Amino acid sequence: MALTAKKPTIDDVARRSGVARVTVSRVLNGGPNVSDAVRAKVIRAVEELDYKVNPQARSLAGGASRLLAFVFASDPENEPNSYYESALELGALRACLALGYQVLIQNVPQSMPDRQKRVLDLITTQRCEGLILSPPYSDDIALIDAALAQGCRVVAVSPGGAGCGKADGVGIDDEAGGYDMARELLRLGHRRFGFLAGLEGHLSADRRLEGFKRALAEQGLGSEAYVALRGDFTFRSGTRLAPELLDHSLRPTALVCANDDMAAGVLSAAHARGLSIPADLSITGFDDAPVAGIVWPPLTTVHQPVKDLGQRAVELLVARLTGANSAPGPVFELLDHAVVSRQTTAPG
Amino acid sequence: MALTAKKPTIDDVARRSGVARVTVSRVLNGGPNVSDAVRAKVIRAVEELDYKVNPQARSLAGGASRLLAFVFASDPENEPNSYYESALELGALRACLALGYQVLIQNVPQSMPDRQKRVLDLITTQRCEGLILSPPYSDDIALIDAALAQGCRVVAVSPGGAGCGKADGVGIDDEAGGYDMARELLRLGHRRFGFLAGLEGHLSADRRLEGFKRALAEQGLGSEAYVALRGDFTFRSGTRLAPELLDHSLRPTALVCANDDMAAGVLSAAHARGLSIPADLSITGFDDAPVAGIVWPPLTTVHQPVKDLGQRAVELLVARLTGANSAPGPVFELLDHAVVSRQTTAPG
DNA sequence: ACGCTTATTGGAAGCGCTTCCAATGTGTCT
DNA sequence: AGACACATTGGAAGCGCTTCCAATAAGCGT
């Protein structure tokens, strides 16, 4: 096996460029007070040697690990491939690449008994400086507080409630998303609805229901106009719960789902009982995941820029870490959503 | 903001347990030659202090970063959520958690001009000790050689060809998978086929076509019995290429796809032109991704244990790094596959 | 009881980098 | 011209850990 020549160190660069180690360090970190001539010399030496800083050494000396952690909750056994989380991760990865940070992906199912400790240990053990929390962790105040207390910055992705008060956040206006979707259905003439909500604790998803209710209320429609059930965001929970919604005495003409996977499940169940979609029943999702375009007919849904959420989350975090953002209170960044009308909705 | 008390160091533990720093280090690393009494004392001190080793310091001093890199190719713009890669990643994550390693996820689209350098830089820059290559990187001999030359261990996931000769690997027998699927279709009486292959360079996916051909050949069927096209593994490429397959003069009665996403696309296109599946046309996929159960009717496909592939990949890698595996040549681990007959296949 | 090996412990050095602070040089103000 | 600010450089210390090697204690045969 070809033994690798030892990697060049900062001292090699210093020697080669005829300056002190500390000067090289300054150049590497874009520090001030370096003359152009010296800077050029150093940069040339770096290139000639193909020198790369050792992040471990830098972290040890400087106290900054440039390590972020992205925590998501989905249970691999149930949901091996949640679009929402994959896309968030991809966005985070992309931003990290651009910013020179690294992100440790951590999958901590809600079902784990010691899940909070698990996340906190990650910070301690790996020396992560920042935490990106996806739902439902983004609403876990105790966790956020604990992380903050350890000096770890945190950003919540799509927090639904009070989480906003503690940490920075990114998200869309889920309430408005639910409202917009309901408005569209009302416009089409629907007056009796089924609503398939998400897992308990996912506050942002619950806000979709609230927006839905608000739109109904504007038309003078109250709780007599809909029946709501809770699924777990999976396709299977959609197929499982669809019958209960469809057979309800209310006889809904439209089924509104808190995400696309469940909507796909509902759609499948509707097919199975021979319903013609959208003629017999309108179905809507949320997220605009790939599955929305894959099912037949393609799903009307609410688009949200999930990849961008992941990206902005990292950017917010890094802004805090570098001090670029020194706002005293938490900042929340709102991204746009939009109803995408495809072919599972029709006049009711 | 509550300033965090400084984290305890190994010296704190040493002081507290009344031994030397080096002894604590020995206990922490499970080293030999530590008396039970001392070991117990140290462990107690560690617990009382809630001490965690600093991985950066350990890495700097010991030269082992315990960092792995997982490289995947999908272009986020096209395929934000490939089941195959997500599942691989999840498996890798799980194994890393168990083994005390960390994995850096790296998305390097094939379209990047300097993709190989990108991957190698990752090793150098982040000091990764091991590389997990998913297709098509698992067949990139130049990349594998370069990584190996840098002293980085590598394991190829589902290599299709010569990659096996250089690095350790895990995978299923893709050739047999293609063969088995074809056998099933032949058994159902089909004699004219369309085959939707994957992207060029994905050698393991190509082997599925080889297996398919072998099964046909066994029945005396040659190239007159099928028409093959190349897609890019996406749903969209399935819908796009389906017409060409269906309208071919051969008039295939079964369409065999190299993965489930494309099969779902083909299915969708078949629906669009009013075909009744599987009565008018049989369609099969490969992978047994969630989408296989989501489309209507559910897809007949070849199951492969993708999560396990990711997990075993990490385990193989770590075995090399720790010396647990010191086989002179590369080892290849074969996992099981199985045809899963659902409802897109019927007698032809 | 003596020299020997073997188990257990600790001292010291140093991984590659950043931090703090002192040492120069250069220009400006009065 | 002298004092002073400022820009530019380097020396030294040390981040928290592991490695190498020396030191001591304990066990054993004869």
Side-chain angles (χ1 to χ4, degrees):
Chain A
M1 156 147 15
L3 247 294
T4 320
K6 225 170 149 355
K7 295 194 169 101
T9 75
I10 194 173
D11 284 323
D12 296 325
V13 176
R15 210 167 305 124
R16 171 142 198 151
S17 48
V19 300
R21 179 204 299 181
V22 57
T23 303
V24 177
S25 175
R26 267 191 211 101
V27 172
L28 259 24
N29 294 289
N33 299 343
V34 182
S35 70
D36 289 346
V38 168
R39 183 181 304 274
K41 260 197 307 188
V42 170
I43 290 177
R44 200 154 57 84
V46 165
E47 281 166 0
E48 288 170 358
L49 259 29
D50 192 31
Y51 166 77
K52 316 273 181 196
V53 314
N54 180 323
Q56 280 87 24
R58 167 180 279 176
S59 166
L60 182 56
S65 65
R66 296 185 183 222
L67 223 49
L68 273 24
F70 174 85
V71 182
F72 67 101
S74 73
D75 189 329
E77 307 313 322
N78 293 337
E79 185 80 356
N81 188 36
S82 147
Y83 162 75
Y84 185 79
E85 286 157 345
S86 301
L88 234 37
E89 178 188 323
L90 225 35
L93 246 28
R94 181 204 282 169
C96 278
L97 187 63
L99 295 169
Y101 275 68
Q102 282 296 335
V103 60
L104 263 24
I105 311 290
Q106 211 69 8
N107 175 221
V108 185
Q110 281 283 288
S111 53
M112 282 194 180
D114 57 344
R115 57 186 178 282
Q116 175 165 331
K117 185 172 177 322
R118 203 123 201 170
V119 175
L120 292 173
D121 273 2
L122 179 67
I123 306 172
T124 325
T125 306
Q126 299 298 327
R127 261 66 179 177
C128 290
E129 304 176 69
L131 205 54
I132 302 158
L133 263 20
S134 71
Y137 289 114
S138 37
D139 288 308
D140 188 333
I141 308 286
L143 176 58
I144 294 175
D145 278 341
L148 253 20
Q150 287 192 22
C152 182
R153 322 299 312 222
V154 358
V155 41
V157 176
S158 290
C164 320
K166 299 288 195 168
D168 292 346
V170 264
I172 61 160
D173 188 339
D174 284 280
E175 202 269 352
Y179 174 86
D180 294 346
M181 191 76 257
R183 286 280 293 187
E184 170 66 9
L185 259 6
L186 288 163
R187 190 184 66 75
L188 288 169
H190 294 274
R191 290 298 179 271
R192 304 187 313 277
F193 302 90
F195 193 101
L196 188 46
L199 228 33
E200 195 141 16
H202 287 246
L203 268 37
S204 66
D206 282 352
R207 305 221 63 217
R208 297 168 193 170
L209 175 54
E210 289 167 26
F212 166 86
K213 289 188 201 168
R214 176 163 65 92
L216 264 58
E218 282 185 3
Q219 303 290 317
L221 264 26
S223 59
E224 77 291 347
Y226 69 90
V227 45
L229 250 44
R230 249 186 215 292
D232 65 3
F233 293 119
T234 64
F235 177 85
R236 284 210 53 73
S237 74
T239 58
R240 185 159 36 82
L241 266 12
E244 194 168 338
L245 252 19
L246 291 169
D247 296 335
H248 191 271
S249 57
L250 198 61
R251 305 229 135 257
T253 62
L255 262 31
V256 179
C257 304
N259 81 336
D260 287 343
D261 285 323
M262 292 195 296
V266 166
L267 181 58
S268 168
H271 281 148
R273 63 163 65 188
L275 291 176
S276 168
I277 310 294
D280 299 339
L281 177 73
S282 286
I283 299 175
T284 68
F286 207 106
D287 284 349
D288 197 16
V291 69
I294 285 178
V295 292
W296 187 260
L299 194 63
T300 294
T301 187
V302 177
H303 175 82
Q304 65 168 326
V306 187
K307 234 179 319 173
D308 295 340
L309 290 178
Q311 183 173 340
R312 287 302 297 153
V314 166
E315 288 168 357
L316 282 180
L317 207 45
V318 172
R320 283 289 187 189
L321 290 171
T322 59
N325 174 5
S326 54
V331 311
F332 184 81
E333 191 155 324
L334 198 64
L335 267 46
D336 290 334
H337 68 273
V339 170
V340 182
S341 286
R342 287 200 268 251
Q343 299 169 41
T344 53
T345 40
Chain B
M1 160 148 13
L3 250 293
T4 322
K6 232 180 142 347
K7 294 194 169 101
T9 76
I10 194 173
D11 285 324
D12 296 324
V13 176
R15 210 167 304 124
R16 172 141 198 153
S17 48
V19 301
R21 180 205 300 183
V22 56
T23 303
V24 176
S25 175
R26 267 192 211 99
V27 172
L28 259 23
N29 295 287
N33 299 343
V34 182
S35 70
D36 290 346
V38 168
R39 185 182 303 274
K41 259 198 307 188
V42 170
I43 290 176
R44 200 154 57 81
V46 166
E47 281 166 1
E48 288 170 356
L49 258 29
D50 191 32
Y51 166 78
K52 315 273 181 197
V53 314
N54 180 323
Q56 280 87 25
R58 166 181 281 175
S59 166
L60 182 57
S65 65
R66 296 185 182 222
L67 223 48
L68 272 25
F70 174 87
V71 182
F72 66 101
S74 74
D75 190 329
E77 306 313 321
N78 293 336
E79 186 79 354
N81 187 37
S82 146
Y83 163 74
Y84 184 78
E85 286 158 346
S86 301
L88 233 37
E89 178 188 323
L90 224 35
L93 246 28
R94 183 206 279 170
C96 277
L97 187 63
L99 295 169
Y101 275 69
Q102 282 297 335
V103 61
L104 263 23
I105 312 290
Q106 211 69 8
N107 174 221
V108 185
Q110 280 282 289
S111 53
M112 281 193 180
D114 57 343
R115 57 186 178 282
Q116 175 166 329
K117 185 172 176 322
R118 203 122 202 171
V119 175
L120 292 173
D121 272 3
L122 179 67
I123 305 173
T124 325
T125 306
Q126 300 299 325
R127 261 67 179 177
C128 290
E129 305 177 67
L131 205 53
I132 302 158
L133 262 21
S134 72
Y137 289 114
S138 37
D139 288 309
D140 188 334
I141 308 286
L143 176 59
I144 293 176
D145 278 341
L148 253 21
Q150 287 191 21
C152 183
R153 322 298 313 223
V154 0
V155 42
V157 175
S158 291
C164 321
K166 299 288 196 167
D168 291 348
V170 264
I172 62 162
D173 187 339
D174 285 280
E175 202 269 353
Y179 175 85
D180 293 347
M181 191 75 258
R183 286 280 293 184
E184 170 65 9
L185 258 8
L186 288 163
R187 189 185 66 76
L188 288 169
H190 294 273
R191 290 297 178 271
R192 304 189 311 279
F193 302 90
F195 193 101
L196 188 47
L199 229 33
E200 197 141 15
H202 286 248
L203 267 37
S204 66
D206 283 350
R207 305 221 63 219
R208 296 168 194 169
L209 174 54
E210 290 168 25
F212 166 86
K213 289 187 201 168
R214 176 164 63 94
L216 262 58
E218 281 185 4
Q219 303 291 316
L221 266 26
S223 60
E224 76 291 348
Y226 68 90
V227 46
L229 250 44
R230 250 187 215 291
D232 65 4
F233 293 120
T234 64
F235 177 84
R236 285 210 52 73
S237 74
T239 59
R240 184 159 37 82
L241 264 14
E244 194 168 339
L245 253 19
L246 290 169
D247 296 336
H248 191 271
S249 56
L250 198 63
R251 305 228 136 258
T253 63
L255 262 31
V256 179
C257 305
N259 81 336
D260 287 343
D261 285 323
M262 292 195 296
V266 168
L267 182 58
S268 168
H271 280 148
R273 62 164 65 187
L275 291 175
S276 169
I277 312 293
D280 300 338
L281 177 75
S282 285
I283 299 175
T284 68
F286 207 107
D287 285 350
D288 196 17
V291 68
I294 285 178
V295 292
W296 187 258
L299 194 64
T300 294
T301 186
V302 177
H303 175 83
Q304 66 168 324
V306 187
K307 234 179 319 175
D308 294 341
L309 290 178
Q311 182 174 340
R312 287 302 297 153
V314 166
E315 288 168 357
L316 282 181
L317 207 45
V318 172
R320 282 289 186 189
L321 290 170
T322 59
N325 174 6
S326 54
V331 311
F332 184 80
E333 190 154 326
L334 198 63
L335 267 45
D336 290 334
H337 68 272
V339 170
V340 182
S341 287
R342 287 201 267 251
Q343 300 170 41
T344 52
T345 39

